[in-house]
Amino acid sequence: AWCSYLQKHAEKLYQSAMLSDFDTAREVLKKISSGELGPKFTARDIYAKCWKRLSDPAQVKKALEVLTEYRHLGQVQLQTGGRAKSIYIVNYHE
């Protein structure tokens, strides 16, 4: 019973590590399609919500790079007096 318990927890940990950038990008697209993300957002807006498969900042940033590369999103850099802030804007395709 103890081994079964530990195995289930290990599978959850490994599952997040095994997700590809494209899998994570698909999860972001699902959140956009469902309306849970507005037309403008930051990476932090996504990972701060701790959604399943979208809680790791590095994975979210890689997924946003994929979506930007494939032109699902546009990216705007805002100067904030410190580090630049990236805002992502949804490109609606018809």
Side-chain angles (χ1 to χ4, degrees):
W2 179 246
C3 288
S4 176
Y5 174 81
L6 291 176
Q7 182 176 357
K8 287 178 186 177
H9 285 284
E11 287 172 1
K12 287 181 186 178
L13 288 172
Y14 288 122
Q15 181 182 21
S16 66
M18 293 183 334
L19 287 175
S20 76
D21 297 342
F22 289 100
D23 292 329
T24 308
R26 276 191 285 275
E27 291 298 318
V28 173
L29 286 175
K30 287 179 188 176
K31 297 298 182 186
I32 292 169
S33 296
S34 70
E36 294 179 76
L37 282 173
K40 297 180 196 175
F41 55 88
T42 64
R44 189 177 192 289
D45 292 336
I46 297 172
Y47 63 77
K49 294 182 189 269
C50 296
W51 284 318
K52 184 178 178 181
R53 299 182 179 177
L54 296 173
S55 60
D56 180 79
Q59 282 182 322
V60 168
K61 288 178 183 176
K62 287 179 184 178
L64 293 173
E65 288 173 9
V66 168
L67 293 173
T68 301
E69 181 180 336
Y70 284 90
R71 297 189 176 154
H72 290 282
L73 300 175
Q75 182 180 12
V76 177
Q77 295 287 329
L78 294 179
Q79 298 303 322
T80 61
R83 189 182 337 174
K85 181 178 184 178
S86 292
I87 304 288
Y88 295 91
I89 302 167
V90 177
N91 290 331
Y92 292 100
H93 300 281
E94 299 204 20

